[in-house]
Amino acid sequence: MKRIHYILPALLTLVFLLAGSSCKKILELESKNVPSSNKFWKTDKDALAGLLGGYSLLRDALTDENRYYVYGDVPANTFEITYTSDYSIHQIRDGSFDGVYYGYLENLQDWTKFYKSIAQANLLIEKIPEIPDAAFERNVKDYYLGESYFLRAYNYFFISRVWGDVPLVLEAVEDVAEAKNYGREKKEIVLKQALADLDKAVAMLPQAPVSNNDRGLRATKASAIALQAHIHAWMQDYVKCEEVTRDLVANPGAYGLTFITDSASYAKMSIGKSSEAIFEININYSQNEASWNGIGQKTLWSPYLSTRIIDDNVDGVPWRVHRGTMSNLFWEAGDKRSSHWFYFDNQADIYMLTKYSNVIYNDGDERKDPRFSNNILIFRLSDIILLRAEALYKTGKEGDARTLLNLTRNRAGIGDVDPALTGVDFFYELIWERGRELYAEGHFYWDLLRTDIATENFNPVFKDAMHAGSATYGRNYWPIPRKLFKDNLLMKQTAYWNGRL
């Protein structure tokens, strides 16, 4: 995606006009005095610029305050976070998404950045078809449009898991005066729309990455299929989840994917763009996309990060490995993932997550200015293999599910699952294997909620949160901040948080 650096300066005006103004009444954004976008959408280069802007806006939403991991890992006690180590984030482990007692969570309650990305996707979906076919130097018009539908679908899936019912905005509004208020749409309708978008995306996207430079970074047919599978699983439609994953898991090579068996390559998988990469967010130092405040900054210390020496102050590390969670998952001897991703500090008597330790120092040998260069791994092949195994179990094919589960277990060096484990005990082991294989990849909290069997083992605060009628029903959803209610009488608070804010 190197081209983004040449396109982006010219693109910024467009992005902030369209992503900023089209949902102003929902998001309370300031209007921008910029030229009309009607002068922009003329060529394939305009379409590509707008599309890369859409990816950039999604990146901004997911990296802001490490939201991807805060929403998907922190509530599952993946990390040990204390009042002293990370004042605001520590309260999330207790289900205190409101921030009433400790505060400083209002930004994380706010979906504005995601609606900027959605606004850009809406614009792309409207404008790309209007560009004449002859204006595209190569046959990429459908490709770009398919990516746009994928981006909109992913945004809506992500925010629906975080907030539940959310405004469903499908129109591209370029004039602030024409913007309207939206209430919250039922999550089932939002996800149904996301699936409709993905049906279009699957038909338009290339089967495999167009080039190795794009691997994982731009959507392909496999990306759309992976997202379909996750939405179906989240909606408990395991028949459809099994159906859409069938060919992808059986024939990954047709999608430009390979199941990594080489240990050295597997250890480097978290850097990004591996042969298992289905969809990732680019955070790459060589492309000026590295992070200075990403998950590596939260989890690392010496000898993996020279700028943090903890000595006796273990709270100097914001996010340490939660020892209880680690021991619940990695209890079998010889698991290669333990040696790949964890480091035990004997002096401090704590574990470090080294999964995101691709650190490059901007000042060279001075080593005082670190940059973190690990992609956000959203979908990869082993994720979909295990998700398919879950769907197979749920549709009465436990034997086939066992075969897939054993793929990742054997690669990790822990052998086949115990044949005596059957039924719900086998299913627990399957979810634990997802926890091991996708450790700190933003999945485990959603897995625990989706399967509705495991939450009490890792964070009992959320037990029964998915059960209508329980005292904790809806606690898994975040509240929305007061500022989003301004001048919008259609907006309603997340049900669980009514009277609690």
Side-chain angles (χ1 to χ4, degrees):
M1 290 181 66
K2 288 187 176 181
R3 290 191 64 185
I4 195 170
H5 304 299
Y6 303 105
I7 293 169
L8 202 53
L11 171 64
L12 288 178
T13 295
L14 174 71
V15 167
F16 286 109
L17 164 67
L18 303 165
S21 66
S22 63
C23 296
K24 178 177 182 292
K25 292 187 179 179
I26 294 175
L27 305 177
E28 296 299 322
L29 302 177
E30 296 179 2
S31 61
K32 306 292 179 182
N33 296 317
V34 293
S36 169
S37 69
N38 289 329
K39 300 177 181 178
F40 184 87
W41 299 95
K42 301 296 183 184
T43 70
D44 60 342
K45 293 181 177 60
D46 297 336
L48 180 60
L51 182 60
L52 295 181
Y55 282 108
S56 180
L57 286 166
L58 176 59
R59 179 185 188 273
D60 183 49
L62 295 178
T63 57
D64 178 48
E65 293 195 46
N66 287 292
R67 285 175 187 249
Y68 185 75
Y69 305 103
V70 167
Y71 295 144
D73 279 311
V74 170
N77 273 331
T78 299
F79 305 106
E80 183 180 3
I81 304 172
T82 67
Y83 175 92
T84 306
S85 66
D86 198 330
Y87 172 76
S88 61
I89 300 302
H90 89 282
Q91 61 197 298
I92 295 172
R93 67 180 185 190
D94 300 322
S96 300
F97 299 161
D98 54 330
V100 167
Y101 189 75
Y102 295 103
Y104 297 104
L105 290 182
E106 188 171 28
N107 184 51
L108 289 167
Q109 298 166 3
D110 189 351
W111 54 43
T112 295
K113 286 182 177 290
F114 293 97
Y115 276 99
K116 287 183 180 181
S117 183
I118 289 168
Q120 185 72 357
N122 286 339
L123 191 75
L124 290 160
I125 289 167
E126 177 182 289
K127 294 296 184 181
I128 289 176
E130 296 175 358
I131 301 174
D133 293 351
F136 289 83
E137 295 180 3
R138 295 172 292 129
N139 187 24
V140 293
K141 186 175 182 177
D142 279 355
Y143 176 22
Y144 293 174
L145 189 55
E147 288 180 280
S148 306
Y149 279 114
F150 171 82
L151 285 171
R152 185 166 75 178
Y154 181 78
N155 274 287
Y156 274 123
F157 172 58
F158 193 89
I159 65 175
S160 181
R161 288 189 302 180
V162 177
W163 287 279
D165 299 344
V166 296
L168 182 59
V169 185
L170 302 175
E171 300 86 5
V173 181
E174 299 174 65
D175 186 343
V176 173
E178 296 178 1
K180 63 180 181 181
N181 286 323
Y182 290 83
R184 300 174 74 172
E185 186 58 86
K186 290 185 180 298
K187 54 186 176 291
E188 294 83 3
I189 294 175
V190 173
L191 294 176
K192 183 178 179 180
Q193 176 61 50
L195 288 171
D197 283 349
L198 289 170
D199 285 340
K200 296 174 182 177
V202 167
M204 295 176 176
L205 289 169
Q207 185 92 353
V210 173
S211 75
N212 280 331
N213 288 335
D214 291 337
R215 176 175 293 279
L217 305 182
R218 293 180 63 178
T220 62
K221 201 178 295 291
S223 310
I225 291 170
L227 182 51
Q228 283 178 322
H230 271 278
I231 294 175
H232 286 309
W234 185 252
M235 298 176 75
Q236 302 297 303
D237 188 349
Y238 284 105
V239 172
K240 289 295 292 183
C241 181
E242 187 276 328
E243 178 185 316
V244 299
T245 57
R246 193 176 301 157
D247 188 59
L248 178 57
V249 171
N251 303 294
Y255 298 86
L257 301 166
T258 58
F259 184 68
I260 297 173
T261 55
D262 174 67
S263 183
S265 297
Y266 184 72
K268 295 178 181 178
M269 173 270 304
S270 58
I271 294 175
K273 298 176 69 174
S274 75
S275 63
E276 282 200 22
I278 294 177
F279 185 60
E280 302 178 346
I281 298 297
N282 195 38
I283 303 178
N284 188 298
Y285 182 82
S286 66
Q287 296 175 356
N288 296 322
E289 293 283 353
S291 170
W292 60 271
N293 192 30
I295 189 172
Q297 192 277 331
K298 292 288 189 180
T299 56
L300 299 174
W301 66 90
S302 179
Y304 287 85
L305 179 63
S306 66
T307 54
R308 179 178 288 136
I309 309 295
I310 63 171
D311 296 325
D312 295 327
N313 179 25
V314 295
D315 276 341
V317 182
W319 298 3
R320 306 185 296 273
V321 171
H322 193 289
R323 187 169 285 186
T325 298
M326 183 183 179
S327 63
N328 276 337
L329 292 174
F330 295 93
W331 57 272
E332 293 176 276
D335 196 321
K336 296 176 183 177
R337 294 167 294 201
S338 296
S339 58
H340 287 330
W341 299 338
F342 302 102
Y343 168 82
F344 182 66
D345 188 319
N346 286 289
Q347 180 179 347
D349 193 33
I350 55 176
Y351 281 93
M352 180 198 313
L353 177 69
T354 60
K355 196 170 197 175
Y356 303 108
S357 59
N358 189 35
V359 182
I360 300 169
Y361 294 91
N362 205 41
D363 54 354
D365 292 340
E366 290 291 319
R367 297 170 62 85
K368 295 179 180 179
D369 187 14
R371 295 290 187 273
F372 304 95
S373 187
N374 287 84
N375 286 356
I376 295 178
L377 311 180
I378 292 180
F379 301 136
R380 58 185 178 91
L381 184 57
S382 54
D383 161 32
I384 304 307
I385 288 172
L386 291 170
L387 192 63
R388 175 167 173 75
E390 182 180 328
L392 287 166
Y393 171 84
K394 288 287 190 176
T395 53
K397 303 178 183 72
E398 184 176 311
D400 293 335
R402 184 178 298 270
T403 298
L404 294 182
L405 171 59
N406 286 336
L407 277 178
T408 57
R409 284 181 55 91
N410 277 285
R411 175 171 70 177
I414 54 177
D416 288 353
V417 66
D418 185 348
L421 284 179
T422 61
V424 70
D425 291 333
F426 168 81
F427 189 56
Y428 268 79
E429 175 56 28
L430 173 55
I431 302 308
W432 292 177
E433 176 64 11
R434 281 188 62 83
R436 289 186 288 266
E437 177 66 20
L438 305 173
Y439 192 92
E441 291 185 32
H443 287 282
F444 200 42
Y445 177 57
W446 310 124
D447 287 349
L448 297 179
L449 291 173
R450 181 184 68 250
T451 56
D452 199 28
I453 62 170
T455 316
E456 65 269 24
N457 292 273
F458 293 89
N459 196 340
V461 167
F462 298 101
K463 188 177 187 298
D464 295 330
M466 300 286 276
H467 288 178
S470 76
T472 57
Y473 180 60
R475 186 171 190 166
N476 54 295
Y477 294 122
W478 281 67
I480 57 175
R482 295 176 182 85
K483 67 180 182 180
L484 295 186
F485 291 84
K486 183 181 178 183
D487 300 326
N488 186 359
L489 298 179
L490 299 176
M491 190 59 60
K492 304 296 182 184
Q493 183 55 270
T494 307
Y496 176 83
W497 299 105
N498 276 325
R500 289 183 167 92
L501 293 176

